[in-house]
Amino acid sequence: MNPASTGSDTGSAAPRGGLDRIELRGLRARGRHGVLPAERELGQEFVVDVSLGLDTAPAAADDDLSRTVDYGSLADRLVAVVEGDPVNLIETLAERLAAVCLQDAVVAEAEVTVHKPSAPVPHPFADVAVRIRRSRP
């Protein structure tokens, strides 16, 4: 049967209108990032959101995890970065996290937001965050 006649598309072409999205939101990990000595010494919680752009049709057609992103494994790798070597800027941390997301060959683009809810801001605030979007060349 022709897939066009059923209205379904199980080919490997990207879906009409752009890429599909896989999102992982609110991932929490403790890190020692920041420019102040207390941030490095005491550490603090960071919250990470990622949105991955990819074509999920091949994985869906075959019901095959190996053809998409294993978000459990991705979460482990992202937490390892947050808990790993400290950096001064959350901009740098966001770059490192985006690079991890793009290690998956099926990921065409990654949007990463790093929230620093306990940032050393001397005024009441809800959140400090950096959001970046990176894609394959």
Side-chain angles (χ1 to χ4, degrees):
M1 180 181 274
N2 181 347
S5 66
T6 64
S8 67
D9 180 9
T10 59
S12 60
R16 275 187 242 142
L19 297 170
D20 298 321
R21 309 302 297 180
I22 292 178
E23 297 185 351
L24 176 59
R25 295 185 181 183
L27 182 65
R28 298 177 185 279
R30 191 161 184 84
R32 298 179 179 273
H33 311 288
V35 296
L36 300 178
E39 293 179 294
R40 294 294 182 100
E41 184 180 327
L42 301 173
Q44 61 191 286
E45 183 179 67
F46 292 83
V47 182
V48 176
D49 303 324
V50 298
S51 179
L52 309 176
L54 66 154
D55 180 5
T56 63
D62 295 340
D63 198 25
D64 184 354
L65 178 61
S66 72
R67 300 189 74 184
T68 188
V69 174
D70 178 343
Y71 44 80
S73 172
L74 175 63
D76 289 342
R77 292 180 284 145
L78 295 172
V79 165
V81 171
V82 174
E83 293 177 345
D85 293 334
V87 296
N88 289 330
L89 304 176
I90 58 175
E91 292 87 335
T92 306
L93 181 58
E95 285 287 345
R96 290 181 177 182
L97 295 167
V100 167
C101 293
L102 292 171
Q103 287 174 349
D104 278 302
V106 297
V107 176
E109 67 180 29
E111 183 175 279
V112 175
T113 305
V114 176
H115 302 267
K116 190 174 181 179
S118 298
V121 175
H123 305 282
F125 72 99
D127 193 18
V128 170
V130 169
R131 178 177 295 140
I132 65 169
R133 181 175 290 183
R134 299 294 179 261
S135 58
R136 294 191 180 281

